Amino acid sequence: MARARVEYVCTECGGVAPKWQGRCSACGAWNTLAESVASDPRSSAGAGGQGDRRHALVEASELQALNAIAAEETPRFTSGIEEFDRVLGGGLVPGAVVLIGGDPGIGKSTLLLQSLASIAADSAALYVTGEESTAQVALRARRLGLGESAMPVLAETQLERIAAVLSQHKPRVAVIDSIQTLFTDALPSAPGSVAQVRECAAQLTRIAKRDNLTIILVGHVTKEGQLAGPRVLEHMVDCVLYFEGEAHSAFRLVRAFKNRFGAVNELGVFAMTDRGLRGVTNPSAMFLAQHDRRVPGSCVLVTQEGSRPLLVEIQALVDSAHAPNPRRLSVGLEANRLAMLLAVAHRHAGLVTFDQDVFVNAVGGVRIVEPAADLAVLFAIVSSLRNRPLGADCEGGLAVFGEIGLAGEIRPAPRGQERLREVSKLGFARVIVPRANTPKAGSRGAPEGLEILAVDRVDQALDLAFSR
Ligand code: TYD
Ligand code: MG
């Protein structure tokens, strides 16, 4: 097969250069040029007279009025795993390309094998493995109790051959594990290089759209936490999911980062067992640490992940610093936000921490990005600093949510009612919330038996939490 012409494309701006150079001449970014297959000069519009002549020969595409386009709800089918369906926005969509990223060994292959074996029970599915041998896949399937499945498995890394198998067998769903192992003959570079990854993904996407086939790509994450092939894949596919979780904990979270067919930031919660991944139906109970909650430095946060509220324990340790630069460290929470919170608390509530090391942690390996975690983080910090447990007088336990603004105000969080319902469901007796999130008097929103304390300002919130 003839080698295609190679060009270099900037991963930042898309500028094209015929030769590799250290700096993109279009946008000036350094070290962003990546090898790529040059587009066919006959199909792209060239400059000048030749291009104009070509335009005259090409038939113009048809236009459609927006209101005349038939737009039905996208049909979906189940992946066979309820929690997986949830992150996908309700199931798999025909013709969609889904990318699943995550650290090695976190459970990508396990999840997809379980899902595909379930799909294979009543429709055509194909598992393409580029990393493991078919024997290894079979061994894993036996371990997962899927030894009886007749799902076809293909050990292949050459894109052209995979494409041939796809057009011959016409599966409904194909898993490619992983995109980094594939290579196309059209490119001289090694598998896993940006050019190969991008070209293989582009061709598979074309096949998916053409044959209305769902393709799930497994992608590896680089040391910097990005999908190899710096973000190029994320633009190409319809849905990007990431596996999260700590290696030493059994819990695995699958989060949607991009979804053309559903909501983002939807979260699927799994537990890794000796028989594969199991969906966790009550994740709130799981994220609350097992010990008695009334210890200093601990606060229960009501966070919202996609369509579902979640209770997570936030822990803080504040200890006198022995170096001129006190440490601020956060696990599962944003580090910059922590520094900001300490500044706001100093300015508006007189909380002095410049001579203290501050460590905060979201228990259970969950990553919390929403600002509604602010109040819980601050409470945990103050609780540790003063060595006083939160809600000591409150038998049923205390939970909080709310964002802290730079002016010291407590700002409301979205979906307050749902959060309150979750708190009440898990048996908490008291909750501290932004005033705008309190249910209106007499409305059905207030769960029975839950004491709701509204706060407006950060100093007032601290007084309320630690006065009793
Ligand atoms: P794997 O799915 O191979 O990860 P990835 O494809 O993301 O690299 O994950 C395998 C890990 O999960 C491995 O460390 C062993 C563990 N595991 C179990 O605990 N139980 C099981 O039933 C299986 C199949 C794997
Ligand atoms: Mg794997």
Side-chain angles (χ1 to χ4, degrees):
M1 187 169 169
R3 287 267 148 95
R5 197 166 60 81
V6 167
E7 63 187 13
Y8 294 82
V9 179
C10 173
T11 53
E12 295 290 323
C13 73
V16 180
K19 273 212 181 87
W20 191 84
Q21 49 200 38
R23 190 175 190 206
C24 171
S25 50
C27 69
W30 286 96
N31 215 6
T32 55
L33 289 192
E35 191 186 40
S36 170
V37 185
S39 44
D40 188 347
R42 278 163 305 179
S43 63
S44 69
Q50 209 189 352
D52 295 341
R53 225 177 305 135
R54 223 168 21 236
H55 287 165
L57 295 176
V58 175
E59 214 176 295
S61 300
E62 210 179 302
L63 299 181
Q64 276 183 296
L66 190 56
N67 59 5
I69 301 170
E72 293 110 38
E73 191 62 32
T74 35
R76 289 177 185 272
F77 57 97
T78 175
S79 66
I81 299 176
E82 201 184 317
E83 286 293 302
F84 192 30
D85 282 347
R86 175 198 291 277
V87 258
L88 287 165
L92 291 161
V93 176
V97 181
V98 179
L99 176 67
I100 298 196
D103 293 335
I106 198 151
K108 302 181 291 297
S109 307
T110 306
L111 176 69
L112 294 176
L113 192 62
Q114 285 180 278
S115 162
L116 210 59
S118 158
I119 294 171
D122 48 29
S123 40
L126 174 67
Y127 188 90
V128 182
T129 166
E131 301 198 331
E132 294 166 327
S133 66
T134 48
Q136 280 170 310
V137 175
L139 210 62
R140 186 200 300 258
R142 306 255 142 89
R143 251 187 92 183
L144 296 171
L146 306 169
E148 299 297 306
S149 174
M151 175 184 79
V153 179
L154 171 72
E156 182 58 75
T157 53
Q158 194 192 333
L159 181 75
E160 285 74 16
R161 290 205 205 138
I162 295 171
V165 173
L166 288 178
S167 17
Q168 194 185 337
H169 289 272
K170 301 217 176 302
R172 191 178 190 195
V173 185
V175 167
I176 311 286
D177 190 0
S178 67
I179 185 73
Q180 271 92 3
T181 57
L182 297 198
F183 70 97
T184 162
D185 258 352
L187 280 175
S189 49
S193 65
V194 174
Q196 285 284 8
V197 167
R198 182 162 50 178
E199 184 59 23
C200 291
Q203 293 215 28
L204 286 169
T205 307
R206 241 170 275 142
I207 292 171
K209 305 291 168 205
R210 186 192 68 200
D211 297 347
N212 211 25
L213 139 77
T214 306
I215 295 188
I216 306 178
L217 304 173
V218 174
H220 286 292
V221 169
T222 60
K223 277 198 237 64
E224 295 79 40
Q226 286 185 330
L227 281 168
R231 313 216 81 105
V232 283
L233 290 184
E234 296 185 0
H235 298 296
M236 250 179 248
V237 300
D238 298 303
C239 179
V240 179
L241 310 179
Y242 274 99
F243 254 100
E244 291 172 8
E246 291 163 8
H248 55 263
S249 114
F251 299 114
R252 301 283 183 271
L253 310 173
V254 181
R255 196 190 290 270
F257 272 80
K258 161 181 174 176
N259 196 346
R260 287 188 183 144
F261 303 106
V264 287
N265 271 330
E266 198 59 80
L267 193 73
V269 184
F270 298 91
M272 180 65 93
T273 67
D274 55 354
R275 299 202 63 193
L277 288 164
R278 287 275 147 82
V280 175
T281 39
N282 185 5
S284 285
M286 169 192 120
F287 286 118
L288 297 179
Q290 299 303 308
H291 69 80
D292 177 16
R293 273 176 238 120
R294 262 151 290 177
V295 294
S298 164
C299 179
V300 175
L301 160 72
V302 197
T303 180
Q304 179 83 28
E305 288 292 347
S307 61
R308 160 164 83 179
L310 207 62
L311 268 69
V312 179
E313 183 189 346
I314 304 292
Q315 290 186 337
L317 177 69
V318 180
D319 198 17
S320 33
H322 294 288
N325 282 332
R327 308 239 289 152
R328 271 90 179 87
L329 208 103
S330 65
V331 180
L333 293 150
E334 254 183 275
N336 289 339
R337 199 125 193 127
L338 172 61
M340 196 191 88
L341 270 179
L342 292 175
V344 173
H346 178 236
R347 182 75 170 73
H348 296 285
L351 186 79
V352 177
T353 52
F354 60 80
D355 52 353
Q356 305 282 334
D357 288 333
V358 179
F359 307 95
V360 294
N361 176 31
V363 174
V366 63
R367 257 197 27 239
I368 295 165
V369 284
E370 66 159 6
D374 291 352
L375 209 47
V377 174
L378 188 64
F379 281 3
I381 290 170
V382 176
S383 165
S384 174
L385 182 70
R386 300 189 185 161
N387 203 25
R388 277 190 58 188
L390 266 166
D393 67 314
C394 175
E395 201 43 51
L398 169 84
V400 298
F401 64 87
E403 177 181 348
I404 299 178
L406 286 181
E409 83 279 21
I410 309 293
R411 308 164 68 103
R415 300 200 192 212
Q417 305 290 317
E418 282 168 53
R419 294 181 204 239
L420 291 177
R421 244 173 280 140
E422 179 80 1
V423 172
S424 157
K425 204 175 89 191
L426 276 125
F428 282 77
R430 182 184 296 161
V431 61
I432 298 183
V433 303
R435 185 163 308 279
N437 282 122
T438 48
K440 310 264 173 307
S443 79
R444 292 182 301 116
E448 249 172 74
L450 183 66
E451 185 188 357
I452 300 172
L453 303 176
V455 287
D456 302 288
R457 311 240 356 128
V458 61
D459 46 344
Q460 176 210 358
L462 286 174
D463 285 346
L464 197 62
F466 293 95
S467 62
R468 312 192 205 190

